[in-house]
Amino acid sequence: MTIENISVNKSFEGWHKQYRHHSNVLNCEMRFAIYLPPQASNGKKVPVLYWLSGLTCSDENFMQKAGALRMAAELGIAIVAPDTSPRGADVADDEGYDLGQGAGFYVNATQAPWNRHYHMYDYVVDELPKLIESMFPVSDKRSIAGHSMGGHGALVIALRNSDAYQSVSAFSPISNPINSPWGKKAFTAYLGRDMSTWSEYDASALMRKATNLVPALVDQGDGDNFLAEQLKPEMLEAAAGVSGYPLALNIREGYDHSYYFISSFIENHLRFHAEHLSK
């Protein structure tokens, strides 16, 4: 696969790089960012943390705002941040911020016109890791994390692919999208009105019946404006109680939905992943 480097920045003795490539899965041009820690410059293959961002975001939000690169350099972890959806003039879109470009929800769309491009699940699970592992000095040890819509995506992907990830974490995830306005809108458009198909992309439904257990860490601010209506962490906690899932859920007093929250606790998440990636 041909990839085009579009930016390079040195950071904490490692390198942050952006690339553009054609995605066969998404049928369009895609962009991703990768941070390679200094250990990767010495011929050593390093493990990878995949970061999935939230609504309206791109590959840039986390890399620029989370303050994660210093700790990634210390721990020797590469970070890969894909875009949040397919994009382009011929890619279906919607006037709302919560559907269409910037709002891929990390599902494989089955409904027209979305099914031509919106296969973010397959892109994150299969196509992107194969590209990363073939083009960069990284190992096949992976963990996954995300925020909001991306937290939903990270949890779902880890729960459905437990053999591929050492650990999973999320900030403010949409924990029960089949019962949230964001989820209902997106799933109706992308997956259709047959709600029986929605549960395969619902972290609470998946965690409730999970048998292969990927250690999970979730942080949620109690000052988050979306907490009660959209995020529903109590549903995830209840599901973990049913299956005995190894979920650590922290409710953080006063914190909101922003990157001020993420940057406050990203070190905890990176150390959590480093511990499991080293096993």
Side-chain angles (χ1 to χ4, degrees):
M1 182 180 292
T2 301
I3 64 174
E4 176 189 359
N5 180 225
I6 55 178
S7 75
V8 179
N9 302 94
K10 191 170 187 179
S11 182
F12 297 103
E13 300 304 315
W15 294 95
H16 172 274
K17 302 181 180 184
Q18 283 180 307
Y19 289 89
R20 182 185 296 124
H21 74 104
H22 177 78
S23 167
N24 293 324
V25 167
L26 301 176
N27 193 29
C28 68
E29 189 174 82
M30 285 295 286
R31 193 176 72 186
F32 68 87
I34 183 169
Y35 177 70
L36 293 167
Q39 295 85 341
S41 300
N42 301 323
K44 177 184 176 182
K45 288 191 173 184
V46 296
V48 183
L49 175 66
Y50 288 85
W51 174 270
L52 307 183
S53 287
L55 290 166
T56 75
C57 293
S58 69
D59 63 289
E60 295 184 340
N61 299 70
F62 177 79
M63 292 298 202
Q64 295 180 9
K65 295 180 179 179
L69 304 189
R70 178 186 63 81
M71 187 54 52
E74 177 182 322
L75 297 171
I77 298 173
I79 301 176
V80 172
D83 203 346
T84 52
S85 78
R87 297 184 193 267
D90 64 338
V91 175
D93 201 6
D94 185 82
E95 292 181 356
Y97 74 94
D98 51 358
L99 185 66
Q101 295 187 37
F105 267 84
Y106 306 101
V107 304
N108 287 337
T110 59
Q111 306 299 303
W114 312 102
N115 56 352
R116 185 178 174 212
H117 296 284
Y118 285 74
H119 295 105
M120 286 298 294
Y121 178 89
D122 281 350
Y123 179 71
V124 173
V125 171
D126 295 319
E127 187 178 37
L128 184 60
K130 287 177 182 176
L131 185 157
I132 298 298
E133 289 167 18
S134 68
M135 302 293 290
F136 298 98
V138 302
S139 71
D140 60 359
K141 279 200 168 184
R142 310 171 194 163
S143 289
I144 192 165
H147 171 232
S148 194
M149 177 186 72
H152 138 76
L155 289 166
V156 165
I157 286 170
L159 285 160
R160 290 179 57 177
N161 302 274
S162 56
D163 57 337
Y165 300 94
Q166 303 298 115
S167 52
V168 59
S169 74
F171 289 87
S172 317
I174 306 172
S175 297
N176 188 209
I178 63 176
N179 289 311
S180 77
W182 279 338
K184 288 178 180 178
K185 179 177 179 178
F187 287 6
T188 300
Y190 296 145
L191 305 175
R193 296 189 177 278
D194 180 2
M195 295 178 65
S196 66
T197 66
W198 294 7
S199 61
E200 64 182 318
Y201 294 110
D202 186 290
S204 294
L206 292 168
M207 190 171 283
R208 180 174 290 270
K209 62 182 182 181
T211 55
N212 297 321
L213 311 179
V214 180
L217 170 64
V218 172
D219 273 277
Q220 172 65 60
D222 70 1
D224 192 320
N225 290 337
F226 304 113
L227 177 57
E229 184 179 29
Q230 301 282 13
L231 305 179
K232 303 182 184 299
E234 70 279 3
M235 300 302 291
L236 195 68
E237 187 173 41
V242 171
S243 62
Y245 203 91
L247 168 68
L249 172 62
N250 301 310
I251 304 299
R252 303 294 189 177
E253 182 180 357
Y255 285 91
D256 60 15
H257 200 70
S258 72
Y259 269 85
Y260 294 107
F261 171 43
I262 294 171
S263 64
S264 297
F265 297 100
I266 191 62
E267 180 175 337
N268 296 3
H269 283 239
L270 288 171
R271 290 193 182 280
F272 167 77
H273 291 298
E275 176 186 350
H276 293 286
L277 285 165
S278 66
K279 293 180 180 177

